[in-house]
Amino acid sequence: SMWKIEEGNHLVLVKGINGKKNNTKNEGDCKGRRFQINDDGTISPKCNSSLCLGASLPVRASFPTCEKGTLRLVQRSSLQAVRLTAPVASNLKSGQTTSLNLMGSGTYVGPKWNQPREAWAQWSYIDLGIGHPNPNEAMQVRYDGDFICWTDVHGEYVFDISMWKIEEGNHLVLVKGINGKKNNTKNEGDCKGRRFQINDDGTISPKCN
C-alpha cells in the first residue's frame, strides 16, 4: 500500500481508472507492484528481497481456547504453512514435552474449546486452533515418533485429522477414545489420520502423505 516498502505495511488489489486506466502496470517504476517468487516459496517485492509477504494472525485475549484461528492441512509451500521454531522442533523430535510455538509469529497451537465434545459415544474431541496465549499457559505436548500427545484433566489426547480426510483445507482436532473405544486412541486401524512427522523445515505432515 502507498508503495511504502517496509515491514508491517499491508497489500491491496489495484487497477487504474479514468486518467490512469492504462497505468496499472505502467506507473513509474512500479516498485510496489513488481514481485518475485523465491525458492523457499515466499513472495518478495523485487526492490527488496529481504521482505516477504506474511499474515497477521488474530490476537488472542485469553487461552487455552483459540477459537479465532483454525489448524488446517495446507501445502508445505503455502504461505499459510505453520512452522515450529527450531528449539521446539528439536524438543519434539527428542521426545521432550514442549509448547507448540510457531516460527516468527509469537503464536501457539492450542485447543479451541475449554471442554471436549463427544462423537457417537466413542470419541472425545476438541478442535485445534492457533492463538496468542501467555507462554506460561500454552498447551504442552510431546511426540513419540508417531503421535503428538496432549494430557490434561480429561486424559490423554492425540492430534487427529478430522474424519481422516487427508486433503488440503481439512481441519485438525484433539481426540481420545472413550467407552467402547477407550483403548483405541493410538490403535484405530492404521491410524493414518493420527500419525505425523516433524519435517526439517519445522512443518508437521501426516506420515501417510
Side-chain angles (χ1 to χ4, degrees):
S1 177
M2 307 302 293
W3 292 11
K4 293 180 179 178
I5 314 299
E6 57 190 40
E7 186 172 1
N9 195 15
H10 67 286
L11 278 79
V12 300
L13 292 165
V14 70
K15 77 169 185 173
I17 58 173
N18 300 325
K20 293 282 189 177
K21 65 181 180 181
N22 297 319
N23 288 52
T24 302
K25 298 179 181 179
N26 184 32
E27 179 71 10
D29 60 7
C30 275
K31 73 173 185 177
R33 299 177 190 170
R34 297 182 186 276
F35 295 89
Q36 64 187 39
I37 312 300
N38 303 312
D39 291 340
D40 61 359
T42 57
I43 301 174
S44 297
K46 282 193 170 183
C47 63
N48 188 344
S49 61
S50 68
L51 297 174
C52 70
L53 304 190
S56 297
L57 293 168
V59 176
R60 286 290 306 137
S62 63
F63 200 74
T65 58
C66 296
E67 66 270 9
K68 296 290 186 180
T70 299
L71 193 63
R72 299 184 184 278
L73 290 179
V74 300
Q75 294 292 328
R76 282 178 66 182
S77 59
S78 168
L79 289 173
Q80 294 180 316
V82 297
R83 288 175 168 80
L84 304 172
T85 62
V88 167
S90 177
N91 288 342
L92 283 176
K93 289 179 179 180
S94 64
Q96 297 182 52
T97 298
T98 185
S99 57
L100 291 182
N101 188 7
L102 304 180
M103 188 182 297
S105 60
T107 54
Y108 296 78
V109 174
K112 291 184 74 172
W113 313 318
N114 282 318
Q115 297 292 327
R117 302 176 184 177
E118 289 189 11
W120 309 294
Q122 295 178 319
W123 305 105
S124 174
Y125 72 98
I126 308 171
D127 276 12
L128 278 165
I130 298 173
H132 295 258
N134 180 322
N136 295 324
E137 297 176 346
M139 70 181 296
Q140 300 290 307
V141 302
R142 61 181 175 80
Y143 176 64
D144 63 9
D146 280 317
F147 303 97
I148 301 173
C149 311
W150 175 63
T151 302
D152 81 335
V153 295
H154 304 291
E156 184 183 66
Y157 288 75
V158 299
F159 280 37
D160 177 278
I161 299 167
S162 180
M163 307 302 291
W164 293 10
K165 294 180 179 179
I166 316 300
E167 56 191 40
E168 188 172 358
N170 195 16
H171 67 285
L172 278 78
V173 303
L174 293 159
V175 72
K176 76 167 185 174
I178 58 175
N179 300 324
K181 293 284 190 179
K182 65 181 180 181
N183 297 319
N184 289 54
T185 301
K186 298 181 180 180
N187 184 32
E188 179 71 9
D190 59 8
C191 275
K192 72 173 185 177
R194 298 176 190 169
R195 297 183 188 273
F196 294 90
Q197 63 189 35
I198 313 298
N199 302 313
D200 290 340
D201 61 359
T203 56
I204 302 174
S205 298
K207 283 192 170 182
C208 65
N209 188 351

